[in-house]
Amino acid sequence: MKKILVLEDETNIRSFVVINLRRSGYEPIEAENGEMALEKLKVNTDLCLALLDVMLPGIDGFEVCRRIRASGSKMGIIMLTARTQEIDKVTGLMTGADDYVTKPFSPAELLARVDALVRRVAVDEDEKSSVELKSGPFVLNTRNRTLEKNSQRLKLTQIEYMLMKLFMENPGKAMSREDILASVWGNDFNGELKTVDVNIRRLRIKIEDDPTEPEYLTTVWGYGYKWGY
C-alpha cells in the first residue's frame, strides 16, 4: 500500500482527503502543521507522494516542499492552495512541486491527480536492463533514473527526469506543450499548460550553463520546446 503524506491544518479538509485516499487504496500519513510533516517525513522514508497545503502558520507548504527536494527525495509533490494567484502556482512549482490543486476540489479531481502522479513517478519494476542516452555533455541512465553532465550527477525530480528522457529520445524535434504534458503527466492529466513552462524553467536552472540563454533545451516560440544540442 503506497503511503501519502497529507499536510493540511484544517481538520475537516484533512479528514475529507484522508477518507478518500483510504477508499482508493492508499495509506495516508497525517500532519496538521509543517513541523509535524517534517517529523513524519523522517519516520516514513517510503512515502511515494506528499499533498502539501500552502497556507500554514510557521513552516508553510512551500518550505516543506523545499526541504523535501533539498534532501534529494524524488517523491511526487502536489500543492493544495485556496488561492488562485499565478504567483502561488509558479512558486509551488519552482520550489519543486510536480502539480497543484486549487481549493475547493472534488474527490474525483484530487484522486485523478494523485493517481496520475503516482503512476508517473513509480519506477518501472519490469525494466531489467540499463540504457544510457547520451547527448553532448549529458548521460541519462534509464535504469537508475540519473542524469550526469560532464560526469557530475545532477539532482532531478522524477518529473524532471521524465522531461529529460522525453527530450533526449527526440533530439531536434519540436514538441508542443500539449504533447509534453500528455507524455510526461499523462493523457488523463487535466492541469494547465503553464505546468510545463514552469517545470522547463526549473529544469533549465539545473542543466544549462546560463538558464536565461539556454543552449540545450530551447524554446520554439508560440509552440513548445526542443532538445537543440
Side-chain angles (χ1 to χ4, degrees):
M1 188 178 293
K2 295 184 181 298
K3 291 183 181 179
I4 296 180
L5 175 68
V6 181
L7 169 57
E8 170 60 64
D9 63 338
E10 294 186 40
T11 304
N12 291 340
I13 296 178
R14 190 172 67 253
S15 298
F16 163 80
V17 171
V18 165
I19 288 171
N20 282 281
L21 287 173
R22 285 201 179 114
R23 286 175 177 170
S24 296
Y26 295 107
E27 181 182 346
I29 305 297
E30 299 181 57
E32 63 183 27
N33 56 55
E35 292 82 359
M36 183 181 294
L38 294 174
E39 288 302 315
K40 298 285 188 180
L41 285 162
K42 291 178 183 177
V43 175
N44 298 276
T45 56
D46 55 346
L47 285 160
C48 72
L49 189 144
L51 298 172
L52 307 178
D53 185 28
V54 169
M55 292 296 292
L56 296 170
I59 298 176
D60 63 13
F62 292 141
E63 181 59 25
V64 173
C65 182
R66 288 189 191 96
R67 296 195 189 185
I68 290 174
R69 292 304 184 222
S71 73
S73 172
K74 297 180 180 180
M75 76 171 65
I77 298 177
I78 298 177
M79 307 300 292
L80 306 178
T81 175
R83 299 182 295 180
T84 57
Q85 290 93 329
E86 295 300 306
I87 187 62
D88 296 321
K89 298 174 181 178
V90 171
T91 299
L93 293 170
M94 286 302 291
T95 54
D98 301 296
D99 192 11
Y100 56 84
V101 177
T102 303
K103 301 175 187 176
F105 47 79
S106 67
E109 178 188 8
L110 179 63
L111 289 171
R113 298 291 188 91
V114 168
D115 289 342
L117 189 54
V118 167
R119 287 196 299 270
R120 296 301 169 275
V121 302
V123 175
D124 184 1
E125 297 296 338
D126 294 328
E127 188 176 47
K128 302 300 183 183
S129 61
S130 176
V131 175
E132 286 190 343
L133 299 175
K134 298 181 180 180
S135 179
F138 297 96
V139 177
L140 189 78
N141 187 298
T142 63
R143 174 65 173 174
N144 54 27
R145 295 193 168 199
T146 58
L147 177 70
E148 293 185 354
K149 179 182 180 183
N150 295 320
S151 300
Q152 297 295 313
R153 180 74 58 86
L154 302 180
K155 287 185 178 181
L156 300 182
T157 67
Q158 291 291 4
I159 291 295
E160 291 165 351
Y161 160 80
M162 287 184 283
L163 283 169
M164 282 297 300
K165 184 171 183 288
L166 176 66
F167 284 115
M168 290 180 68
E169 287 177 336
N170 296 275
K173 178 182 178 181
M175 307 192 71
S176 70
R177 290 172 174 83
E178 291 84 358
D179 288 340
I180 296 168
L181 200 67
S183 296
V184 173
W185 282 266
N187 289 313
D188 53 352
F189 180 78
N190 59 355
E192 301 177 40
L193 289 177
K194 68 171 161 289
T195 302
V196 173
D197 297 325
V198 179
N199 276 277
I200 292 291
R201 188 189 314 172
R202 196 174 72 198
L203 181 58
R204 280 173 169 166
I205 292 172
K206 296 184 178 183
I207 68 170
E208 298 283 354
D209 297 328
D210 181 0
T212 64
E213 296 289 340
E215 176 184 359
Y216 309 107
L217 188 46
T218 57
T219 301
V220 181
W221 295 108
Y223 185 71
Y225 302 91
K226 71 175 180 177
W227 186 252
Y229 187 79

